[in-house]
Each structure stands twice: as structure tokens, then as C-alpha cells.
């Protein structure tokens, strides 16, 4: 098939008839349901963009010779990484970086699993069949341009219990309940699938963050990918933040609300050919790190976050000029904080690409150190950018008549006059500040802040993993050498 168009993506999910629930009802057709149709249209827009900018977005499949999405590329050179980043940038620009789960994010991980497929063959739970499955799945997803969601997290019942078997209900988190000649049977729940009901397939993998060393919880230790319409699979979506308002009133929420879903498994049969890990806590713990999937995913994330930061900077500078606060010292200081965040992110991305090396699987792999630092830092910086919009926007983030107020002949002229800015008319100012509101105040905006803080894992545990993995010795040696030298110079031997 090759790279799909928006129309093909929409037809695909329409025909799939995934079991999606929202607001207490089963969704008949996600492509027309008010909670999903606008974001479906946005995802379709991404697929169309692949064809509008083919040079930038597609490459030739090494197996079929067809044009396929560049996010699936097996990078062999630094130029491949630059090209892939430009592709990520193009898709991110479509939404101002507000779609965290544009399909390129997970496509990079499928590439990594597929090319590192021998990882899944190792002793202690792996098999040649699992390795073949990972290679085949990469080929299948790339050639058919499959859109994916993923779920890695156990339900938030009692986090003080380190394993799922210890929970008061050890059958709550999704686990293998039976093995049959056809595959495994899975029952229980997983969190949290963003874009859940509106993708083709779901990747059910272990957390990227290691479980506590030494804990074995094998019925919960698996990795597989299945179609969203597999019998017994339900997507229980959160309330929609697309309130069906005009895109002028809700410029982000009415277009990019990706939705998040709890995943329910009821006697779901996962065929053997779709399984990559089965009952191995040990392999699960190492999957993301040792296939380097997390590195390729982070390359997409930081590319996307550069765009998101550029977009927010643009909004903030426009707001400052709109209400004439752009000469105040503290205001410039706050905008400069965002400029610094942008330059730091760009530098991390640059270093990661320029220091890239061929890994053990033959892939040109970005340097993880700058990417890892950036993914530990940005979740906190995003909260600050969010705050800066509120500090600078003040009442302008609430004095926000709607499109229908402007078009009303009685109050339209009034609101147009009363909402004007320093060098901008009322309608233009409200449109700009509605965008700022949708980044910082609305349910959509606050979900973005939560997403950026948490989606890659709990920043506290991530920081501890970062600290533990950091090579600290050179810095300790530096200080020891310095102290030894001063001791010597002081005549103490
Ligand atoms: C908007 C959004 C979208 C998401 N999309 C996806 C998705 O598509 N796929 C997916 O798999 N996941 C997704 N996630 C889930 C995300 O990965 C988790 O939120 C994240 O890993 C943190 O886990 P948790 O939410 O269970 O928090 P918890 O682990 O429950 O943590 C809650 C609080 O308790 C503290 N805490 C808990 N346990 C410990 C501990 N052992 N030690 C120290 N402190 C602890 C944490 O620091 C935190 O402050 C999404 C999350 C959000 C918010
Ligand atoms: O691995 C974890 O524990 C959290 C995590 C990481 C990457 C993701 O994309 C995601 O949705 C969740």
C-alpha cells in the first residue's frame, strides 16, 4: 500500500469499528462522533501532508520500492537523521506541536524493535519466533502506514505495592490468564492510550522505566501489538475536551484533542505471531533501553518540542506587542526565558544528531546523553511556559467574547471596540488571546501541561534513573585531583 492519504486513514478506522466508549455510550463511528471527528480530521491532515510534501515526508521502501512514511526509516547516516527530524518538524508544525501522538512518535519505536529484532530472541524468555514477529511487524506497519497507540502503565491502584501480583486485586492489571496453541489470553486493564480509539492498532509494551530490580512479575510481563478491533478489547475514553465549539473559539481543543483511554482486555486472544515478549520481566525491563527505541522516540519528542516552544514563543511575543507590554523589563525577561528554552532544546537536538553513531543493530542512532537531559528538563520547563502565558495575559485571558458575540449586531460593535489592543483590533486580539487561553487555561491546555509533565514517565523516577545512570566518576576525580594538588601546594603530603 505505502504511505496513506487522510481519506485512506479515515476509511481504515471507520471500517475497523473499534469498541470505543465515551460519556457512557458506545461509539458507533469515531470518524463522525463529535468527540473524535475533529481530531480524526487533524490526523487525516497529517497523512495528507505526506503527499503534499512528498520530498520531505516520504522515502522509498527497501523491500517494496513503494513510497512510505519517513518516520519509519532505518537511519543509516546522519543525513537520514536530519531528514527524519525535518519530517517530524513538518508534522509538529501542523498543530503548533500540540499533537503529542502524531504517528511518527511510535513509528520510530516500531522501527527500532524491528531492526533490533534479535533482542527478542535471547535466552531467558525470548525466541526466534518473537524476533521474526518484531521484524515482520515493522515491515507490516511501514508498508501499510498503520497508525498506532500504545499502553505501558499498570492501573493506578496502590503504587506502594511494587508488583501487580501484590495488589489487593491481582487480576486488575492486564495479565496473561491462559496460553493456548493460538496465542495468549489477556484479561485486565492498562493505562493510558492517547489517540486510543482512533488508531488502527495498539502496542502493549512494558514501561520504559525499569521495575524494581529483583522483582519478578511474569504474568504481567509481555509485549505485543494487536488491531484495535480485536474481540474483547475496549477503549474507555475520558470526557472530550472538544466541546463542539467553533474552531475560532477553541482553536486547539476543537482540532487537536487527542483523547486518552483506559484499555480493557476481556479474554483477548493475542496470536503468537503478534507477540514480542512473553512472561519475562527481565526482557521487559531492558526492552526500550536495549533496542534503543527510547532514543529514537526521544529524537521525535525533542524535535516536536522545539516546534511547540517556537509556537508558544510566537504567541507570547504577539501578546506582548498586542497589549503594549513589550518594553517592560520583567516582561522581556519572561519572554527571554522561553527563548533560552528554545535554544537549549535546539542545541541538545543538534548535539544528539552530530554525535550520532552506528549502534549494534547497524542503525545511525542519536547520542542519547543530550536527548535524555532534554527529556528530563522539558517537562518542568513546559510548566513555566504555561505559567508565563498566564502571567502576561492576565484579564485578557478571560475578557474573551466568542465568535457569535462578534457577529451579533447589538453587542458585536461593542466587544470589537472594548477588546482592542495597542496595535490590533478587537477581533484580532481576541483571536490571539483565545489561542493563548487554549494553551494555558482551557481543559485542553491543562491536559497539555499534564501530558508534557508525565507522558514519558514520572519525572521524579526518571530523574533518579538519570542520576543512577550518569557517569559520575570523572567529576569526582576532577575534585579529588584538585584537592590533592592544593594539599601538595600547601606542603601536606
Ligand atoms: C495526558 C497523558 C497522556 C498519557 N498517554 C499515555 C499513553 O499514550 N500511553 C501510556 O502508556 N501512558 C500514557 N500516559 C501515562 C504516563 O506514562 C504516566 O502518567 C506516567 O508514567 C506516570 O505514571 P502514573 O500516571 O501512573 O503516576 P503514578 O505512578 O501513580 O504517580 C503519582 C504520584 O506518585 C508518585 N509515585 C508513585 N509511585 C512512586 C514510587 N514508586 N516512587 C516515588 N514516587 C512515586 C509520583 O512521583 C507521582 O507524583 C499518559 C499520561 C498523561 C497524563
Ligand atoms: O515508560 C513509562 O513508564 C512511561 C511512558 C513512556 C513513554 C510513553 O510514550 C508513554 O506513553 C509512557
Amino acid at each position: 500500500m505505502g504511505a496513506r492519504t487522510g481519506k485512506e486513514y479515515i476509511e481504515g478506522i471507520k471500517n475497523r469499528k473499534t469498541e470505543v466508549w465515551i460519556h457512557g455510550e458506545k461509539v458507533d463511528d469515531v470518524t463522525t462522533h463529535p468527540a473524535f471527528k475533529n481530531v480524526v480530521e487533524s490526523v487525516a491532515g497529517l497523512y495528507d501532508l505526506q503527499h503534499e510534501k512528498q520530498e520531505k515526508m516520504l522515502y522509498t521502501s527497501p523491500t517494496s520500492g513503494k513510497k512510505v512514511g519517513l518516520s519509519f526509516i532505518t537511519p543509516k547516516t546522519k543525513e537520514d537523521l536530519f531528514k527524519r527530524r525535518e519530517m517530524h518538524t513538518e508534522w509538529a508544525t501542523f498543530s503548533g506541536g500540540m499533537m503529542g501522538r502524531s504517528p511518527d512518535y511510535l513509528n520510530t519505536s516500531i522501527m527500532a524493535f524491528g531492526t533490533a529484532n534479535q533482542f527478542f530472541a535471547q535466552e531467558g524468555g525470548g525466541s526466534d519466533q518473537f524476533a521474526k514477529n518484531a521484524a515482520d511487524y515493522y515491515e507490516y506497519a511501514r508498508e501499510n502506514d498503520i497508525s498506532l497507540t500504545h499502553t505501558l502503565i499498570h492501573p493506578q491502584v496502590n503504587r506502594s505495592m511494587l508488583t501487580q501480583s501484590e495488589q489487593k486485586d491481582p487480576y486488575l492489571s492486564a495479565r496473561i490468564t491462559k496460553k493456548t496453541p493460538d496465542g495468549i489470553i489477556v484479561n485486565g486493564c492498562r493505562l493510558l492510550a492517547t489517540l486510543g480509539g482512533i488508531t488502527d492498532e495498539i502496542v502493549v509494551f512494558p514501561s520504559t522505566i525499569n521495575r524494581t530490580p529483583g522483582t519478578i512479575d511474569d504474568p504481567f510481563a509481555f509485549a505485543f501489538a494487536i488491531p484495535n478491533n480485536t474481540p474483547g478489547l475496549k477503549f474507555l475514553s475520558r470526557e472530550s475536551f472538544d466541546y463542539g465549539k467553533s474552531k475560532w473559539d477553541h482553536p486547539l481543543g476543537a482540532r487537536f484533542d487527542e483523547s486518552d483511554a483506559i484499555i480493557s482486555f476481556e479474554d483477548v486472544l493475542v496470536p503468537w505471531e503478534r507477540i514480542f515478549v512473553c512472561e519475562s520481566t527481565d526482557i521487559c525491563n531492558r526492552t526500550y533501553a536495549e533496542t534503543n527505541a527510547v532514543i529514537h522516540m526521544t529524537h521525535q519528542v525533542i524535535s516536536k518540542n522545539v516546534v511547540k516552544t517556537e509556537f508558544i514563543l510566537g504567541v507570547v511575543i504577539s501578546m506582548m506587542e498586542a497589549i503594549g507590554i513589550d518594553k517592560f523589563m520583567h516582561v522581556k525577561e519572561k519572554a527571554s526565558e522561553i527563548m533560552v528554552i528554545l535554544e537549549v532544546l535546539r542545541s541538545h537536538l543538534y548535539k544528539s544528531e552530530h554525535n550520532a553513531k552506528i549502534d549494534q543493530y547497524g542503525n545511525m542512532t542519536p547520542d542519547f546523553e543530550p536527548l535524555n537531559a532534554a527529556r528530563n528538563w522539558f517537562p518542568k520547563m513546559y510548566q513555566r511556559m504555561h505559567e508565563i502565558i498566564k502571567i502576561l495575559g492576565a484579564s485578557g485571558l478571560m475578557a474573551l467574547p466568542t465568535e457569535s458575540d462578534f457577529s451579533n449586531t447589538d453587542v458585536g460593535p461593542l466587544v470589537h471596540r472594548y477588546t482592542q489592543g495597542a496595535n490590533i483590533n478587537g477581533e484580532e486580539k481576541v483571536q490571539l488571546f483565545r489561542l493563548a487561553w487554549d494553551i494555558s487555561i482551557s481543559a485542553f491546555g491543562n491536559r497539555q501541561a499534564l501530558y508534557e509533565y508525565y507522558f514519558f514517565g514520572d519525572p521524579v523516577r526518571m530523574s533518579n534513573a538519570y542520576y543512577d545512570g550518569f557517569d559520575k566518576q570523572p567529576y569526582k576525580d576532577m575534585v579529588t585531583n584538585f584537592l590533592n594538588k592544593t594539599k601538595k601546594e600547601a606542603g601536606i603530603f
Side-chain angles (χ1 to χ4, degrees):
M1 173 177 237
R4 288 193 297 175
T5 61
K7 192 163 167 272
E8 286 165 337
Y9 155 74
I10 291 177
E11 276 165 12
I13 54 169
K14 195 184 188 73
N15 294 337
R16 212 165 267 283
K17 294 216 163 292
T18 299
E19 188 171 342
V20 180
W21 288 76
I22 193 166
H23 307 152
E25 286 174 3
K26 193 167 157 183
V27 176
D28 182 42
D29 178 356
V30 281
T31 69
T32 53
H33 189 282
F36 302 101
K37 70 177 191 321
N38 287 326
V39 65
V40 164
E41 199 180 286
S42 295
V43 178
L46 296 176
Y47 282 107
D48 280 339
L49 202 57
Q50 302 193 115
H51 296 275
E52 285 155 27
K53 298 196 173 178
Q54 291 203 11
E55 291 307 302
K56 239 180 167 173
M57 310 296 287
L58 305 179
Y59 76 112
T60 305
S61 158
T63 54
S64 66
K66 289 186 180 146
K67 289 287 178 197
V68 291
L70 194 70
S71 53
F72 286 108
I73 196 170
T74 307
K76 294 290 172 205
T77 63
K78 288 184 185 174
E79 281 66 35
D80 287 343
L81 290 179
F82 303 154
K83 277 197 277 176
R84 187 175 72 178
R85 186 235 310 133
E86 282 173 19
M87 182 274 159
H88 295 320
T89 302
E90 199 64 54
W91 264 7
T93 304
F94 181 86
S95 65
M98 297 290 162
M99 291 183 81
R101 295 301 163 92
S102 49
D104 49 341
Y105 173 60
L106 290 182
N107 293 351
T108 63
S109 71
I110 295 304
M111 177 282 295
F113 299 142
T115 50
N117 60 75
Q118 283 310 307
F119 171 83
F120 299 103
Q122 64 189 287
E123 283 176 20
S127 75
D128 290 341
Q129 171 75 51
F130 295 159
K132 181 176 181 308
N133 295 347
D136 288 351
Y137 194 69
Y138 168 42
E139 171 101 12
Y140 163 76
R142 183 188 68 215
E143 296 302 317
N144 295 286
D145 213 3
I146 294 297
S147 58
L148 297 168
T149 183
H150 75 167
T151 174
L152 314 183
I153 301 297
H154 300 294
Q156 196 185 40
V157 180
N158 185 345
R159 291 292 190 238
S160 69
M161 300 299 173
L162 294 178
T163 66
Q164 294 311 305
S165 322
E166 288 176 276
Q167 296 285 338
K168 65 180 175 200
D169 179 354
Y171 284 84
L172 194 123
S173 184
R175 63 185 285 165
I176 300 171
T177 48
K178 203 172 161 191
K179 286 205 255 177
T180 76
D182 297 329
I184 55 173
I185 307 291
V186 176
N187 277 283
C189 163
R190 272 292 188 96
L191 306 182
L192 179 73
T194 297
L195 219 64
I198 59 165
T199 58
D200 298 294
E201 302 220 350
I202 182 164
V203 172
V204 183
F205 258 61
S207 168
T208 59
I209 302 172
N210 281 358
R211 285 147 222 244
T212 309
T215 55
I216 305 277
D217 219 9
D218 286 346
F220 303 90
F222 43 70
F224 58 81
I226 48 174
N228 280 359
N229 58 353
T230 302
L233 195 58
K234 283 187 177 62
F235 290 75
L236 310 173
S237 299
R238 67 158 161 79
E239 167 187 4
S240 172
F241 301 149
D242 177 351
Y243 299 117
K245 293 283 173 66
S246 90
K247 292 180 180 169
W248 193 90
D249 285 344
H250 291 184
L252 301 176
R255 292 153 87 196
F256 308 123
D257 183 23
E258 293 176 299
S259 90
D260 304 286
I262 295 170
I263 305 300
S264 167
F265 297 83
E266 286 161 294
D267 286 330
V268 171
L269 169 67
V270 182
W272 286 112
E273 58 274 16
R274 286 304 195 90
I275 296 173
F276 314 119
V277 182
C278 182
E279 294 183 318
S280 173
T281 305
D282 176 48
I283 296 181
C284 278
N285 272 346
R286 295 183 284 114
T287 295
Y288 276 95
E290 292 189 19
T291 58
N292 289 336
V294 80
I295 305 183
H296 294 286
M297 292 158 83
T298 312
H299 186 236
Q300 186 275 352
V301 167
I302 305 305
S303 305
K304 183 266 291 175
N305 285 344
V306 165
V307 175
K308 197 164 188 170
T309 306
E310 287 172 344
F311 188 65
I312 290 177
L313 179 62
V315 168
V316 164
I317 295 170
S318 304
M319 288 165 73
M320 286 163 55
E321 291 179 0
I323 57 171
I325 57 171
D326 52 320
K327 303 284 183 298
F328 295 127
M329 278 180 74
H330 86 92
V331 174
K332 287 203 271 189
E333 184 218 15
K334 290 184 175 62
S336 76
E337 282 185 51
I338 302 178
M339 292 166 177
V340 171
I341 294 169
L342 177 58
E343 281 309 320
V344 172
L345 283 183
R346 283 180 178 152
S347 309
H348 283 242
L349 200 52
Y350 184 92
K351 185 181 173 204
S352 78
E353 291 171 359
H354 287 265
N355 280 2
K357 291 202 169 57
I358 294 285
D359 70 4
Q360 66 269 44
Y361 310 109
N363 296 338
M364 181 57 76
T365 303
D367 179 2
F368 193 41
E369 294 311 322
L371 291 180
N372 201 13
R375 83 178 179 130
N376 270 275
W377 180 70
F378 187 77
K380 291 157 195 161
M381 291 307 105
Y382 193 79
Q383 312 310 312
R384 178 61 179 153
M385 296 199 289
H386 201 249
E387 181 182 45
I388 287 173
I389 295 179
K390 287 187 281 192
I391 295 171
L392 301 187
S395 65
L397 294 169
M398 286 294 123
L400 288 178
T402 59
E403 186 189 2
S404 43
D405 291 311
F406 280 98
S407 56
N408 180 287
T409 48
D410 289 331
V411 294
L414 292 180
V415 293
H416 192 57
R417 181 161 167 243
Y418 297 159
T419 57
Q420 68 183 282
N423 55 4
I424 190 169
N425 72 37
E427 203 175 321
E428 288 164 350
K429 187 195 156 201
V430 171
Q431 190 180 15
L432 172 65
F433 276 63
R434 282 207 154 273
L435 176 58
W437 165 86
D438 225 358
I439 299 174
S440 63
I441 308 277
S442 68
F444 176 90
N446 275 291
R447 182 225 171 246
Q448 286 286 323
L450 193 71
Y451 177 83
E452 290 300 348
Y453 192 74
Y454 268 124
F455 85 86
F456 234 140
D458 169 20
V460 173
R461 277 169 282 166
M462 275 174 62
S463 71
N464 278 248
Y466 183 78
Y467 178 88
D468 292 342
F470 199 92
D471 181 7
K472 297 177 269 298
Q473 198 56 44
Y475 312 99
K476 290 198 291 181
D477 291 347
M478 195 177 163
V479 173
T480 306
N481 292 341
F482 182 89
L483 292 178
N484 285 344
K485 197 163 168 249
T486 36
K487 223 161 106 180
K488 208 165 152 195
E489 281 172 13
I492 305 165
F493 295 97

